[in-house]
Amino acid sequence: MKEAIFLVLAASIFWLAACTPNTNLTYTQDIAPIIYQNCTPCHRSGGAAPFSLTEYQQVYRKKKTILAVTQSGLMPPWPADRNYSHFLGERFLSDSDKDKLKRWIEGGAPEGNLSLLPNLPPYPEFSLIGKPDTTLWFDSILIKGDSKDKFYIATLPIELSENRFVRAMEFLPNQNNLVHHMNGRLLNYDEGKKANIKSGKRLLNLETNEDDYLQQFNALDLANDDGSRPSQINSATNYLPGVQAQLYPEGIGGFTMQKKSILLADDIHFGPIPQDKWDRSRVNIFFSKTPPTRPINEVMMGTNGVTKIIPPLVIPANDITTHTTFLKIPQDISILTINPHMHLLGKSFKAYALTQNQDTIRLISIPKWDFRWQYFYTFPKMLKIPAQSVIYVEATFDNTNHNYNNPHNPPKEIRERLDNGGAGMRTTDEMLQFIITWLPYQVGDEKVSLAPN
Ligand code: HEC
């Protein structure tokens, strides 16, 4: 009998614990500031994430998954190891914030005193970096609702009355929670080189079969009239979830845009959706009155780049392979951003420089590769790499069925696929790339902050 009473008592204590908050942490006072700071930049209407976390009810409903993804470090997404190197805009929860979220959720996730709720920070709608001088639109794209990833090359012909200096270009999709990445290159047509820049098709679906592919790529009609290639500005604008376009300090970066140019979105990757949707992406352009005094250079290592991959990027089925690539730096340089790139088989990635005296300059380590978050990592200040240093990249690929992103089940041999005439690669092929943007070093560069001003 005593035991029975004890059990009933224990059960009701348990019941009480489950239903009444047993934490003095509240949403309005303790949790909303953490969410506003770390989550709602993406989890809001029009943000990069597929659902909002701007209201208490939305956070409350998702509390179990929120607990899981914040404790595991999956959210906020920041795959680079913060113990290895630091970048601008790092997204992470401090141990104390993680702990608060855990105690609050496990304690019943109470809302608290409404009068203590802070205001949601203002989020700009049509630009994340300022007021553009002009906005141009890509054609609309119908994204089929067949729950598969979609890859497109899209073009946007641009005609100006004169050549202009561009400080920054900002690509913004309107279905931004569907776009996983976009790499934009600007093709500049020199005077008299191309009569009609609007003659080509505006869209190429990259999931076409290989035979049609070249033909379709040619239909974009990107070459000069004499068949030669126009000059191009790589990474004129890039888009990745949660990443904003870069406005460097005045004088750094920027490029010239010819009167006639084509912005080549190569490629745009849309995530899978169950229903058809239209996307219409915009491009904000920020002109500059002065020519870029220190134009940014870009060097690409690995696939399609200036360095060989060793051993060659062939990944046998059911194997895990590691590959390296390295580049000797002939002059002192200042690095601004770095962008590691692999596809679905990527497992880990590391890059560093070794100076002539064998000092290591850490660049980046991504212990658990996630193809969804391929940021252009910007150093807080320019990073000097002295002449004669060697930049090393080490990347591991997992082609087993333990890799749940493996596009093939059972796994099959995957190889690198090289660029055929400026065309993009498919995600089911592999790549190993490391893109570095840099300037020739000038005294004092290591003190120049790259934070948006
Ligand atoms: C850089 C943008 C970004 C930030 C910041 C961000 N998220 Fe996310 N989140 C996403 C995207 C995009 C997805 C969808 C992931 C996908 O499609 O694979 C997602 C998915 C999720 C999911 C669902 C995961 C699942 O497995 O179903 C949860 C829960 C979540 N986020 C919570 C949070 C919380 C909590 C924070 C802040 C601590 C946060 N996120 C910060 C972009 C972001």
Side-chain angles (χ1 to χ4, degrees):
M1 185 60 189
K2 259 191 193 155
E3 267 168 34
I5 288 172
F6 176 75
L7 270 180
V8 168
L9 252 176
S12 47
I13 288 168
F14 178 77
W15 182 83
L16 268 174
C19 295
T20 33
N22 73 355
T23 171
N24 44 25
L25 296 170
T26 63
Y27 180 75
T28 55
Q29 190 163 18
D30 307 288
I31 301 304
I34 301 176
I35 302 282
Y36 291 178
Q37 169 76 27
N38 300 286
C39 315
T40 50
C42 298
H43 287 275
R44 63 186 161 92
S45 82
F51 55 89
S52 286
L53 292 175
T54 47
E55 309 281 336
Y56 167 70
Q57 284 304 332
Q58 296 164 330
V59 177
Y60 185 84
R61 272 200 303 274
K62 291 249 181 231
K63 62 183 184 304
K64 279 199 187 129
T65 7
I66 290 177
L67 180 62
V69 297
T70 51
Q71 301 305 306
S72 71
L74 199 67
M75 288 286 148
W78 190 262
D81 180 359
R82 293 183 48 258
N83 292 320
Y84 191 77
S85 55
H86 286 290
F87 301 98
L88 288 181
E90 285 178 355
R91 301 181 186 282
F92 66 99
L93 291 176
S94 65
D95 287 345
S96 116
D97 285 351
K98 266 192 193 173
D99 180 60
K100 273 192 200 162
L101 272 170
K102 183 165 189 279
R103 284 191 289 135
W104 175 69
I105 293 169
E106 288 176 350
E111 182 165 23
N113 183 344
L114 279 179
S115 68
L116 296 175
L117 184 69
N119 288 330
L120 197 67
Y123 293 113
E125 280 241 33
F126 300 117
S127 168
L128 298 179
I129 56 174
K131 195 172 170 323
D133 295 300
T134 185
T135 297
L136 303 170
W137 297 85
F138 277 90
D139 285 355
S140 300
I141 300 178
L142 176 64
I143 314 159
K144 277 261 176 253
D146 57 6
S147 300
K148 290 190 181 147
D149 284 290
K150 297 277 178 305
F151 300 89
Y152 296 99
I153 293 181
T155 65
L156 171 68
I158 303 174
E159 266 177 317
L160 304 171
S161 53
E162 54 184 343
N163 297 351
R164 297 291 298 267
F165 305 123
V166 173
R167 191 169 171 215
M169 263 179 137
E170 179 184 36
F171 174 92
L172 291 177
N174 78 315
Q175 298 291 353
N176 48 0
N177 60 1
L178 289 183
V179 176
H180 286 253
H181 75 246
M182 190 290 304
N183 298 326
R185 321 183 207 170
L186 187 74
L187 308 182
N188 262 330
Y189 296 92
D190 289 338
E191 189 87 49
K193 280 293 204 177
K194 194 171 183 67
N196 182 6
I197 55 163
K198 295 187 173 161
S199 53
K201 284 208 157 182
R202 302 279 169 86
L203 192 67
L204 189 168
N205 183 341
L206 284 175
E207 300 302 288
T208 60
N209 73 51
E210 221 151 303
D211 297 336
D212 296 345
Y213 178 76
L214 253 188
Q215 204 181 351
Q216 291 204 25
F217 186 78
N218 289 336
L220 298 175
D221 195 16
L222 301 174
N224 287 317
D225 290 340
D226 63 6
S228 62
R229 276 203 198 191
S231 64
Q232 68 180 47
I233 311 279
N234 290 325
S235 301
T237 172
N238 292 304
Y239 179 89
L240 295 153
V243 171
Q244 59 183 56
Q246 191 79 44
L247 273 183
Y248 288 118
E250 193 74 55
I252 294 178
F255 48 84
T256 301
M257 182 185 261
Q258 302 281 340
K259 260 194 319 205
K260 284 184 179 177
S261 64
I262 292 180
L263 181 62
L264 179 63
D266 174 13
D267 50 323
I268 308 182
H269 173 190
F270 292 100
I273 39 167
Q275 281 151 2
D276 289 4
K277 265 194 184 165
W278 288 92
D279 180 69
R280 191 160 192 226
S281 300
R282 70 172 71 210
V283 176
N284 293 328
I285 304 182
F286 300 80
F287 290 121
S288 160
K289 286 197 180 55
T290 50
T293 44
R294 298 186 71 189
I296 293 177
N297 305 286
E298 186 178 278
V299 62
M300 189 157 83
M301 297 171 60
T303 309
N304 293 319
V306 297
T307 61
K308 258 205 311 226
I309 299 174
I310 307 164
L313 195 54
V314 177
I315 312 154
N318 302 306
D319 208 352
I320 294 176
T321 60
T322 296
H323 306 260
T324 62
T325 184
F326 60 90
L327 175 68
K328 189 160 190 176
I329 305 294
Q331 64 184 110
D332 287 356
I333 65 168
S334 296
I335 298 189
L336 303 144
T337 67
I338 51 178
N339 171 237
H341 182 61
M342 303 189 278
H343 287 174
L344 300 161
L345 299 186
K347 184 174 166 65
S348 64
F349 188 102
K350 192 175 200 176
Y352 53 91
L354 268 186
T355 67
Q356 240 179 341
N357 323 330
Q358 302 300 306
D359 288 333
T360 302
I361 303 174
R362 295 172 171 194
L363 297 176
I364 190 165
S365 170
I366 299 180
K368 253 179 86 186
W369 177 257
D370 185 335
F371 74 98
R372 282 166 299 190
W373 309 110
Q374 309 213 13
Y375 297 130
F376 278 74
Y377 293 91
T378 305
F379 288 102
K381 291 183 175 155
M382 289 197 226
L383 181 68
K384 179 183 177 185
I385 307 286
Q388 306 309 322
S389 301
V390 178
I391 294 181
Y392 287 95
V393 170
E394 295 167 5
T396 300
F397 295 83
D398 182 348
N399 195 6
T400 70
N401 53 18
H402 297 295
N403 174 0
Y404 62 93
N405 291 318
N406 199 327
H408 301 288
N409 187 10
K412 66 181 213 194
E413 183 191 271
I414 302 272
R415 312 177 149 256
E416 170 181 52
R417 176 175 151 140
L418 295 174
D419 190 341
N420 46 7
M425 272 80 23
R426 299 159 201 232
T427 25
T428 49
D429 302 316
E430 256 319 318
M431 291 181 82
L432 165 54
Q433 267 183 351
F434 189 53
I435 300 175
I436 301 168
T437 64
W438 62 276
L439 300 170
Y441 174 77
Q442 281 180 7
V443 178
D445 270 358
E446 49 279 80
K447 298 201 187 87
V448 177
S449 163
L450 293 174
N453 45 18

